[in-house]
């Protein structure tokens, strides 16, 4: 087993919940310190060290990093797209401020690797809509997208100027059954499974034909671990890697669910999140991630839907 001490900031969130458990399998349960500003799942809390910490509390974070002699950091804390639009200043302060302090703490504490997630939200209305290449027009129109793109550039800067081995991925919308997303524009693609199983119907906050890049959580976790494991000299990107996964519209997802639950019906009531979704591309080209560190997604739409329907914990009502 590798001798690393890993700290996860935001371990109670959508990615953190699953990533913590995978990292504990790899490095040993006591070697992976889960932290969050609030409670995390019982599984996360009971399977290894867990600490409550606000990522903006630099002094406390520094203390923890020293106490545990941390060698790797996963900084997953962020305000997602929809929530950040409601509170732009706080979204910027949290997303950017925490990245700065975590990068500086990594340097101060001799951390060997930092993972920080970026997002397809870095793209904007002037980006091509389909099969978006790694290098393209990037003019985000959401606070979240602006903070993620600025963050990517700062990651690259810290790598070049200060030698910090920071690695990042532009995650698409992530779909999993172990944790619920909060405040994102792609959250409908998780909510729909709960409603399909509970009520066999779902009112979607995006229009039927809104195509967005998505990914099953198992693939996203795999990508993250694969990138973090890759030899540093193989990585040509120090902003954030595009990765390809699924892409579908709410209507296509509903049709795939209907194959399992024939009575399922979707309706549409677009809200402010439609505008955010409209500014994003529909599909992503991940060729460079494939070339540099062997990225390849395993889940297609059908496989993802089957796993979600099987595992989402809600009893199916029988009429
Ligand atoms: N899932 C995120 C959101 O919708 C995109 O990174 O905000």
């Amino acid at each position: 087993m590798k001798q690393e001490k890993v700290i996860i900031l935001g371990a109670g969130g959508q990615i953190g919940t699953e990533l913590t458990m995978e990292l504990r399998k790899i490095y040993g349960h006591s070697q992976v310190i889960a932290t969050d500003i609030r409670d995390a799942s019982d599984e996360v809390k009971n399977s290894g060290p867990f600490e409550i910490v606000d990522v903006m509390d630099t002094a406390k974070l520094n203390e923890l990093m020293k106490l545990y002699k941390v060698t790797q950091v996963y900084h997953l804390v962020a305000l997602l797209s929809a929530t950040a639009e409601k509170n732009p200043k706080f979204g910027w302060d949290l997303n950017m401020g925490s990245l700065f302090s975590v990068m500086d703490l990594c340097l101060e504490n001799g951390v060997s690797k930092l993972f920080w997630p970026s997002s397809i939200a870095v793209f904007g209305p002037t980006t091509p809509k389909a099969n978006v290449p790694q290098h393209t027009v990037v003019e985000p129109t959401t606070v979240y997208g602006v903070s993620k793109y600025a963050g990517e550039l700062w990651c690259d800067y810290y790598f070049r100027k200060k030698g910090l081995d920071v690695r990042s991925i532009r995650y698409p919308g992530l779909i999993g059954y172990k944790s619920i997303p909060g405040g994102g524009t792609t959250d409908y693609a998780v909510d729909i499974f709960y409603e399909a199983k509970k009520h066999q119907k779902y009112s979607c906050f995006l229009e039927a034909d809104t195509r967005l890049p998505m990914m099953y959580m198992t693939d996203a976790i795999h990508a993250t671990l694969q990138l973090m494991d890759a030899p540093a000299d193989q990585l040509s990107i120090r902003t954030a890697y595009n990765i390809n996964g699924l892409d579908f519209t709410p209507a296509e997802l509903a049709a795939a669910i209907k194959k399992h639950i024939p009575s399922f019906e979707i309706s549409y009531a677009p809200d402010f999140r439609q505008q955010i979704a409209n500014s994003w591309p529909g599909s992503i080209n991940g060729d460079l991630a494939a070339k540099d560190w062997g990225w390849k997604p395993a889940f297609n739409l059908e496989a993802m839907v089957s796993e979600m329907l099987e595992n989402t914990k809600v009893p199916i009502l029988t009429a």
Side-chain angles (χ1 to χ4, degrees):
M1 200 160 278
K2 299 182 196 173
Q3 276 312 306
E4 298 278 354
K5 276 277 185 191
V6 183
I7 196 166
I8 300 157
L9 314 174
Q14 194 198 8
I15 300 168
T17 300
E18 300 209 21
L19 194 56
T20 302
M21 299 316 296
E22 286 310 307
L23 287 167
R24 284 186 171 153
K25 274 189 219 157
I26 297 170
Y27 295 111
H29 287 218
S30 61
Q31 304 296 104
V32 177
I33 301 100
T35 75
D36 206 284
I37 193 168
R38 59 181 75 86
D39 221 10
S41 72
D42 287 343
E43 202 185 16
V44 164
K45 277 188 304 183
N46 298 336
S47 60
F50 176 71
E51 303 271 0
I52 296 277
V53 61
D54 177 350
V55 78
M56 299 302 269
D57 185 347
T58 310
K60 169 111 189 256
L61 209 51
N62 198 9
E63 235 171 70
L64 284 179
M65 283 169 75
K66 288 188 167 42
L67 177 72
Y68 286 102
K69 299 190 172 56
V70 166
T71 62
Q72 282 191 28
V73 177
Y74 287 75
H75 170 20
L76 309 175
V77 177
L79 221 56
L80 293 190
S81 59
T83 318
E85 283 313 292
K86 290 187 179 154
N87 202 342
K89 183 70 177 34
F90 179 60
W92 172 260
D93 287 347
L94 177 72
N95 293 0
M96 274 313 302
S98 66
L99 176 60
F100 273 127
S101 66
V102 169
M103 286 198 296
D104 288 334
L105 287 177
C106 285
L107 289 174
E108 183 182 331
N109 288 285
V111 164
S112 66
K113 278 184 217 171
L114 165 64
F115 180 81
W116 175 80
S118 186
S119 161
I120 53 101
V122 298
F123 301 121
T126 49
T127 303
K129 279 285 169 205
N131 198 29
V132 175
Q134 177 73 39
H135 302 287
T136 185
V137 180
V138 179
E139 292 178 326
T141 50
T142 62
V143 173
Y144 177 64
V146 171
S147 73
K148 286 293 176 187
Y149 194 50
E152 286 189 6
L153 296 172
W154 276 109
C155 287
D156 183 61
Y157 187 89
Y158 267 65
F159 170 71
R160 284 184 292 107
K161 299 278 176 166
K162 298 169 191 270
L164 181 64
D165 188 349
V166 46
R167 305 176 179 203
S168 182
I169 283 173
R170 290 171 178 159
Y171 287 128
L174 300 180
I175 303 161
Y177 60 85
K178 292 193 180 150
S179 53
I180 316 256
T185 302
T186 55
D187 295 5
Y188 90 85
V190 176
D191 300 345
I192 195 171
F193 289 99
Y194 288 88
E195 293 304 311
K197 287 185 81 165
K198 239 192 288 180
H199 301 120
Q200 295 87 57
K201 60 179 191 226
Y202 179 63
S203 171
C204 184
F205 58 75
L206 297 182
E207 279 160 9
D209 60 352
T210 312
R211 182 171 300 281
L212 288 172
M214 301 276 187
M215 183 171 287
Y216 191 52
M217 190 60 91
T218 306
D219 273 339
I221 300 293
H222 186 213
T224 310
L225 297 173
Q226 219 180 342
L227 172 63
M228 286 299 272
D229 224 27
D233 60 4
Q234 268 174 232
L235 305 180
S236 62
I237 297 295
R238 291 295 180 154
T239 49
Y241 277 96
N242 275 12
I243 55 171
N244 58 304
L246 309 170
D247 63 271
F248 52 76
T249 65
E252 288 167 1
L253 179 57
I257 291 174
K258 225 170 149 60
K259 285 188 193 152
H260 296 259
I261 306 175
S263 59
F264 177 67
E265 293 297 340
I266 189 167
S267 56
Y268 301 94
D271 65 16
F272 74 102
R273 288 169 280 194
Q274 184 64 49
Q275 219 185 340
I276 300 176
N278 288 348
S279 77
W280 292 346
S283 62
I284 304 292
N285 181 302
D287 286 355
L288 203 56
K291 178 171 166 279
D292 285 2
W293 43 275
W295 166 242
K296 194 170 180 283
F299 282 81
N300 61 18
L301 179 63
E302 287 68 34
M304 180 276 283
V305 167
S306 298
E307 286 229 358
M308 284 299 289
L309 286 173
E310 205 177 304
N311 293 298
T312 306
K313 289 210 174 44
V314 173
I316 295 193
L317 301 176
T318 40

